[in-house]
Amino acid sequence: MIYHPSPPPRPKIPECSWKRPLGLGWEKPYTVRYPSNLDDGPWHGMPLGGFGAGCIGRSPRGEFNLWHIDGGEHVFKSLPACQFSVFEQSENAPSQAYAMCTEPPADGTLDWWQWYPKEGKGESSGTYHALYPRSWFAYEGVFQTQLTCEQFSPVWAGCYQESSYPVAIFEWTVHNPTDAPITLSIMLTWQNMVGWFTNAVQNPQVRVRDDGSPEYEYKARWGDSTGNFNQWIQDHYRVGCLLDRVRLDEEVREGEGQLCIATITNPATEVFYHSRWNPASNGAQVWGTFAQNGTLGDTQDETPASPGEQIAAAIAIRFTIRPGKTRKIPFILAWDFPVTEFAPGINYYRRYTDFFGRSGNNAWPIVRTALKHDELWQERIESWQAPILQRDDLPDWFKMALFNELYLLTDGGTLWTAADEHDPVGQFGVLECLDYRWYESLDVRLYGSFALMMLFPRLDKAVLEAFARAIPTSDDTPRMIGYNQAFALRKTADATPHDLGAPNEHPWKKTNYTSYQDCNQWKDLPCDFVLQVYRDFVLTGSKDTEFLWECWSAIVKALAYLKTFDKDGDGIPENSGAPDQTFDDWQLQGISAYCGGLWLAALEAAIAIGEILLNNPSMQPQFTDAYDPESIQATISNYHQWLEQAKPLYHQTLWNGQYYKLDSESGSDVVMADQLCGQFYARLLGLPDIVPQEYAESALKTVYESCFLKFHQGEFGAANGVRPDGSPENPNATHPLEVWTGINFGLAAYLVQMGMKAEAMQLTEAVVKQVYENGLQFRTPEAITAVGTFRASHYLRAMAIWGVYLALDR
């Protein structure tokens, strides 16, 4: 317990945090575009938990409602018994007690409880703030006491240990502004959910949704609490309730483990507990005494739950705070579910088990670690964020979105496995999104991985090394393609896979899960791979040549495979007329500005990589034996020949005097927003220009005017592709008329790069407002439409806002 004689009455919440009055709804939140896509509604808050450890979300109403405990799976459901409650008593006012959520349970349970009001003495009863990985509930106008609850997990840049921990810290700051003592009691209740987070469907069937995407059956064992039991623990000054389950085997299976709620006590406080009460009841077991005087019955009961029975635990800290004084009270929520199972029998241990063991009995050691280091963790988060927050040249809305878009590293179905000799920091993966549930889609991460590369470069390199291992592999399983009902092989040897697999199979081993398109035919994926490899090398110090060696063989195979689509031998692979790139509802024909530019940039990057390797033989035996300078030089020479042939052809074929045409064969006059992605990457990495600067400037200004300013007056952001006057080529088109959040941030980074900072910030602000003013916070979608709908929430590409920051900082 930390006692401060005369500190400031409130923790300093950064001005740039995202803010929302507690419990305030949205008059017209954006809704999903297609009924088959996920739409949980707007009540999303910042997630808590480490990368790959599972996470829990708490909304601006104060409810805990997002449960990503099972790796790669999504459960969104309020659990009212998981809640903080506050009792207050003083000589100046009658006592009062509230559960600190503005929404009572919809099922009528816990009807003895009083729920926190949406309005206090002022206009609201408080404000929710979020700046990932920290968020705050600042309560106003209800209690005499000034109350703030800060919640966070130990996540900060470059941290490869604590950032994996399955823990959340809740630090309550209590200030008495009155002239009389106030007695306060803070209670944390939690339902025993051990065993709930694994698939109840034994053999989940895969089906193709109405939008052509594959999905599989998942049904969490929600409410299956048979055998669950709770223990009260006193460990010196640490106290808590350990939520466990009777196990049938010594070997821990998915869903098995522990949860724990805990706090600390000292002679100036009183601790009360109730280790077993019924959360499906009216709640009188805990509320009867808590609402009366802030106490609990000190009940210990470790009886396992019978079939159909639900149990929960409660702890409360009561203390008296003198006039003008401030006190801080920490609570810890920890969980230990060490195993993630994919297909039956395919099990991985989570990264945090490298530090806490694999028994599933380590929730209490995690609590002890958190209570020992929580202040240090706060300091490190603040130190990481401070240089950005202190910059006067960055607007608050940008700082807010920059940090809050990192939420996906926690809640994006994230996997982070235990380390081994082949993967010294483990294997890592974030889903493309919850609708397209497969890992690290390579085209999406071309922009979306800027955040991971800048903040956790070892993890980003681990992802790219997984792609390098996957490129030579093949899988001859035939599958129906959702887009056109044709059949295609799952994975052709040397084709660059689209993704690293899905949670229901074996990620990293079985790739190309998506079957909406035949990704063996995609023209951007090999280029995306090469450019990301070189990017990670250049932007992390240009010293990690072993990383380049890990990827070189795959680079050569990937580019050679892509070159086979150069049917006319002109040096540039042609698009086929079927959607065969990241805009996978958009048909490109012949040489395209998008894929052709990426091809040229990838060749330049591959040449640079080859020249580096010639001068830096590997120290690793597997590469030392394969080191063949003549072969590398021959490959470089080949790439030079392709470039000499292709670069002038690209410009001559596609330049129309103002911008680069969509492609060479469709006859379309559409201005494609991302037409010069290859040029952006080339300049970013110090490679030779793909097109001369004056042409790039003209094209970029046209994109800005046509796709952004002339598309609904710039209200929504830049559409993917419209005619020069901002009108649609086809009013019924899908991808061309969508505003893709990540593509917009990538375009903004390019605008900064080209000296158009004001335009870049105007574009970025428009997209940020669309997300954070329309109920899309902490579920940022891929696409927004001009009629207030969205598609594909919790989307990976939106972390591209870190690319904007990178461009501003160079």
Side-chain angles (χ1 to χ4, degrees), residues 646-780:
K647 190 177 286 190
L649 179 68
Y650 176 85
H651 178 75
Q652 294 162 10
T653 303
L654 298 176
W655 181 249
N656 70 359
Q658 185 180 358
Y659 58 93
Y660 287 91
K661 296 186 294 184
L662 181 69
D663 57 38
S664 62
E665 295 182 11
S666 69
S668 172
D669 68 345
V670 159
V671 180
M672 186 184 199
D674 209 24
Q675 59 183 266
L676 287 180
C677 178
Q679 170 68 3
F680 162 70
Y681 251 91
R683 293 200 66 178
L684 177 70
L685 303 180
L687 297 168
D689 283 336
I690 299 308
V691 297
Q693 180 159 332
E694 62 268 26
Y695 300 111
E697 289 175 350
S698 175
L700 189 56
K701 289 176 182 176
T702 303
V703 167
Y704 183 77
E705 292 170 2
S706 300
C707 298
F708 176 44
L709 296 181
K710 294 179 180 177
F711 181 74
H712 295 272
Q713 293 75 52
E715 177 184 354
F716 297 94
N720 282 326
V722 293
R723 304 184 71 187
D725 65 358
S727 65
E729 180 182 47
N730 173 7
N732 297 318
T734 52
H735 290 181
L737 300 182
E738 290 179 330
V739 173
W740 286 12
T741 54
I743 294 294
N744 272 250
F745 294 148
L747 176 58
Y750 186 29
L751 285 164
V752 174
Q753 188 186 79
M754 295 291 283
M756 299 172 68
K757 178 180 175 180
E759 292 86 347
M761 298 309 280
Q762 184 182 357
L763 174 62
T764 305
E765 184 176 14
V767 176
V768 168
K769 284 185 174 180
Q770 285 296 310
V771 172
Y772 287 91
E773 293 181 0
N774 293 291
L776 298 175
Q777 76 289 337
F778 302 107
R779 54 171 186 151
T780 307

Side-chain angles (χ1 to χ4, degrees), residues 317-562:
I317 293 287
R318 189 174 69 173
F319 54 94
T320 297
I321 184 165
R322 292 177 293 158
K325 299 303 180 182
T326 300
R327 189 184 291 271
K328 292 182 182 289
I329 307 291
F331 284 85
I332 307 297
L333 168 65
W335 56 95
D336 178 20
F337 299 106
V339 173
T340 292
E341 182 180 59
F342 302 119
I346 307 298
N347 296 302
Y348 280 78
Y349 289 106
R350 289 172 156 157
R351 168 64 170 171
Y352 78 85
T353 64
D354 288 338
F355 314 108
F356 289 104
R358 300 177 175 181
S359 67
N361 296 321
N362 292 297
W364 192 252
I366 296 170
V367 162
R368 295 179 64 174
T369 300
L371 288 172
K372 182 178 180 180
H373 296 293
D374 58 339
E375 287 188 340
L376 174 64
W377 293 347
Q378 273 182 312
E379 291 172 5
R380 290 187 172 171
I381 293 169
E382 291 170 4
S383 296
W384 160 47
Q385 293 185 332
I388 294 176
L389 300 187
Q390 292 168 1
R391 286 183 59 166
D392 294 332
D393 61 325
L394 298 177
D396 280 354
W397 61 262
F398 182 77
K399 299 172 188 176
M400 178 278 295
L402 190 67
F403 284 108
N404 281 336
E405 287 304 320
L406 296 176
Y407 81 96
L408 197 74
L409 293 176
T410 291
D411 106 333
T414 311
L415 302 179
W416 191 2
T417 70
D420 60 29
E421 59 181 4
H422 300 295
D423 296 288
V425 293
Q427 297 187 90
F428 188 82
V430 174
L431 295 175
E432 178 174 331
C433 68
L434 295 174
D435 287 304
Y436 314 143
R437 211 164 358 148
W438 38 84
Y439 283 99
E440 294 292 346
S441 299
L442 189 60
D443 56 318
V444 175
R445 74 185 323 275
L446 182 67
Y447 283 147
S449 63
F450 272 108
L452 191 67
M453 180 274 298
M454 294 167 67
L455 304 175
F456 299 91
R458 294 172 68 189
L459 295 182
D460 201 65
K461 290 178 181 179
V463 172
L464 293 173
E465 288 170 352
F467 274 102
R469 291 193 288 261
I471 284 171
T473 65
S474 63
D475 184 339
D476 294 338
T477 305
R479 297 186 302 172
M480 180 179 287
I481 301 304
Y483 178 77
N484 58 10
Q485 308 302 298
F487 279 86
L489 300 184
R490 176 163 177 163
K491 170 70 172 70
T492 301
D494 297 344
T496 304
H498 169 272
D499 55 76
L500 292 175
N504 64 316
E505 292 190 338
H506 191 169
W508 306 293
K509 299 295 184 182
K510 290 180 71 65
T511 61
N512 264 3
Y513 186 80
T514 180
S515 59
Y516 178 54
Q517 298 287 4
D518 178 7
C519 294
N520 297 299
Q521 305 294 313
W522 278 27
K523 310 308 186 295
D524 53 350
L525 295 173
C527 307
D528 296 343
F529 172 67
V530 177
L531 290 170
Q532 288 175 65
V533 168
Y534 191 54
R535 178 199 66 186
D536 281 21
F537 174 77
V538 170
L539 298 183
T540 62
S542 298
K543 295 179 180 179
D544 191 359
T545 56
E546 293 298 333
F547 169 65
L548 296 183
W549 276 108
E550 287 279 353
C551 300
W552 175 246
S553 174
I555 287 171
V556 174
K557 292 177 186 296
L559 292 179
Y561 177 86
L562 180 55

